[in-house]
């Protein structure tokens, strides 16, 4: 049977999707920029409540996971299925660790009443409420993307095992990689803007 | 459809890219301790942009794809910058 496929078009479709994602987060960054310019001091003080060590740790592991998924594409291009799968499993584990860290991070905020509508938070100023609102929405939407990434990795791993993805047909792995780098790209901007306000 | 020749990025290159990103992250965290007024935010955004460019060029293979992809990505970023510009014109002159 003749196979009909157009990898370049698939990749272009993936990039178009990435653009919609960039604009989604981009608009959140615009909201952030406007409110921060209106409440610079409150944003700075509220930002100091965030855990920089945990944020930095998550940044580092997310960057490592970007490398492992890129390496898994190299492996499959070289025909090394086993290494490609191992690297993808490492990426998957890192994604889960990222989410677990996020769970503890959010958990401690909830504990202190800084959750949206939380008692402690509502007693603070307008700027602080806005900062934490943006913090939860932006890291929340980002975390949903990580969760979707986990699902994609599991799917790609199963396809790799069944040899549906192989040395000459790996567009699923490539597009999943592109998606994962997008998640990393967004975090690269979220991290300094939320955790590192001076 | 026949496959176009693909560029394979070596493992070594990818390790170097990761190291560059980690160094930039360390710099980004370190400079928050230095008082530079409004330049702190500018520096943070500059470093983030450099990191983003590295991810786009190597991990997302833009460096090795046809130029069409790079042009599209650049167009989206220009659109985004225009939105920021227009928004701030609006807020500054209310």
């Amino acid at each position: 049977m003749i196979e009909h496929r157009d990898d370049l078009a698939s990749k272009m479709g993936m990039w178009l999707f990435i653009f919609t994602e960039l604009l989604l987060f981009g608009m959140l960054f615009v909201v952030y920029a406007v409110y921060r310019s209106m409440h610079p001091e409150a944003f700075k003080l509220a930002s100091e409540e965030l855990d920089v060590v945990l944020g930095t740790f998550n940044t580092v592991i997310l960057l490592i996971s970007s490398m492992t998924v890129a390496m898994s594409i190299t492996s499959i291009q070289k025909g090394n299925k086993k290494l490609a799968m191992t690297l993808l499993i490492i990426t998957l584990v890192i994604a889960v660790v990222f989410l677990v860290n996020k769970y503890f991070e959010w958990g401690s905020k909830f504990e202190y009443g800084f959750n949206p509508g939380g008692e402690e938070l509502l007693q603070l100023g307008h700027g602080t409420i806005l900062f934490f609102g943006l913090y939860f929405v932006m890291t929340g939407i980002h975390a949903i993307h990580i969760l979707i990434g986990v699902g994609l990795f599991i799917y790609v791993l199963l396809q790799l095992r069944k040899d549906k993805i192989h040395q000459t047909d790996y567009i699923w792995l490539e597009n999943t990689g592109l998606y994962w780098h997008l998640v990393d790209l967004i975090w690269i901007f979220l991290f300094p803007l939320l955790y590192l306000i001076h | 459809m026949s496959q176009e020749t693909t560029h394979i990025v070596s493992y070594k290159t990818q390790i170097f890219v990761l190291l560059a990103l980690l160094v930039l992250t360390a710099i980004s965290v370190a400079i928050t301790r230095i008082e530079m007024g409004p330049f702190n935010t500018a520096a943070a955004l500059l470093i983030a942009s450099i990191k983003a460019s590295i991810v786009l060029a190597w991990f997302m293979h833009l460096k090795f794809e046809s130029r069409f992809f790079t042009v599209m990505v650049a167009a989206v970023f220009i659109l985004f910058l225009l939105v920021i510009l227009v928004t701030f014109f609006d807020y500054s002159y209310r």
Side-chain angles (χ1 to χ4, degrees):
Chain A
M1 210 170 90
I2 304 162
E3 199 185 0
H4 291 284
R5 87 174 217 261
D6 188 345
D7 288 347
L8 189 64
S10 301
K11 209 184 286 174
M12 210 169 279
M14 192 64 205
W15 274 102
L16 287 177
F17 169 70
I18 286 173
F19 296 154
T20 68
E21 293 278 277
L22 286 176
L23 291 178
L24 163 70
F25 279 95
M27 292 314 118
L28 288 170
F29 282 119
V30 173
V31 174
Y32 170 94
V34 168
Y35 283 142
R36 183 169 161 186
S37 71
M38 289 163 90
H39 308 275
E41 279 307 307
F43 265 53
K44 190 186 154 193
L45 287 173
S47 162
E48 281 164 12
E49 296 295 320
L50 299 186
D51 191 337
V52 178
V53 176
L54 202 58
T56 310
F57 180 76
N58 263 353
T59 307
V60 170
I61 61 170
L62 206 58
L63 289 172
I64 295 173
S65 78
S66 245
M67 182 193 69
T68 53
V69 78
M71 279 181 164
S72 112
I73 295 172
T74 306
S75 310
I76 203 72
Q77 283 171 333
K78 291 182 173 175
N80 193 341
K81 174 184 163 186
K82 210 171 153 195
L83 184 59
M85 288 184 74
T86 310
L87 286 163
L88 264 191
I89 291 168
I90 295 172
T91 316
L92 180 66
V93 169
I94 291 177
V96 173
V97 171
F98 185 96
L99 284 178
V100 170
N101 285 339
K102 215 69 277 144
Y103 168 80
F104 284 114
E105 208 185 333
W106 276 33
S108 80
K109 294 287 165 295
F110 276 64
E111 209 177 299
Y112 292 115
F114 278 82
N115 49 306
E119 274 172 47
E120 204 62 44
L121 184 61
L122 289 180
Q123 285 170 17
L124 297 165
H126 208 57
T128 316
I129 296 173
L130 284 169
F131 177 85
F132 277 101
L134 282 165
Y135 164 76
F136 280 111
V137 169
M138 290 168 103
T139 60
I141 298 180
H142 184 263
I144 291 171
H145 280 80
I146 300 254
L147 205 59
I148 295 168
V150 169
L152 282 170
F153 290 138
I154 292 171
Y155 176 76
V156 170
L157 274 167
L158 291 174
Q159 295 297 95
L160 266 168
R161 207 180 57 172
K162 285 190 280 187
D163 281 322
K164 291 269 173 60
I165 296 173
H166 49 79
Q167 194 173 3
T168 50
D169 183 4
Y170 53 85
I171 189 68
W172 259 94
L173 175 58
E174 218 176 359
N175 280 348
T176 303
L178 281 177
Y179 174 83
W180 195 247
H181 298 310
L182 162 79
V183 173
D184 192 20
L185 209 61
I186 291 160
W187 186 257
I188 284 175
F189 284 97
L190 279 182
F191 173 61
L193 288 177
L194 292 175
Y195 293 76
L196 301 178
I197 302 182
H198 189 82
Chain B
M1 197 187 139
S2 65
Q3 290 282 80
E4 71 278 19
T5 47
T6 44
H7 183 279
I8 299 179
V9 187
S10 72
Y11 298 121
K12 211 169 116 187
T13 309
Q14 278 155 347
I15 289 171
F16 277 123
V17 170
L18 176 67
L19 287 178
L21 290 169
L22 291 178
V23 168
L24 286 167
T25 306
I27 295 172
S28 177
V29 174
I31 59 165
T32 44
R33 287 166 220 265
I34 307 165
E35 179 61 69
M36 294 189 291
F39 292 108
N40 276 99
T41 309
L45 283 175
L46 180 70
I47 294 174
S49 303
I50 297 170
K51 282 168 76 181
S53 312
I54 293 174
V55 169
L56 282 163
W58 276 279
F59 284 165
M60 297 175 93
H61 292 178
L62 272 188
K63 202 169 145 58
F64 315 107
E65 301 283 2
S66 96
R67 276 198 79 77
F68 182 65
F69 286 95
T70 316
V71 172
M72 285 206 299
V73 174
V76 170
F77 276 97
I78 291 168
L79 174 66
F80 176 62
L81 289 177
L82 284 176
V83 171
I84 292 215
L85 195 70
V86 171
T87 310
F88 272 91
F89 267 127
D90 185 21
Y91 270 92
S92 312
Y93 295 104
R94 261 175 205 224

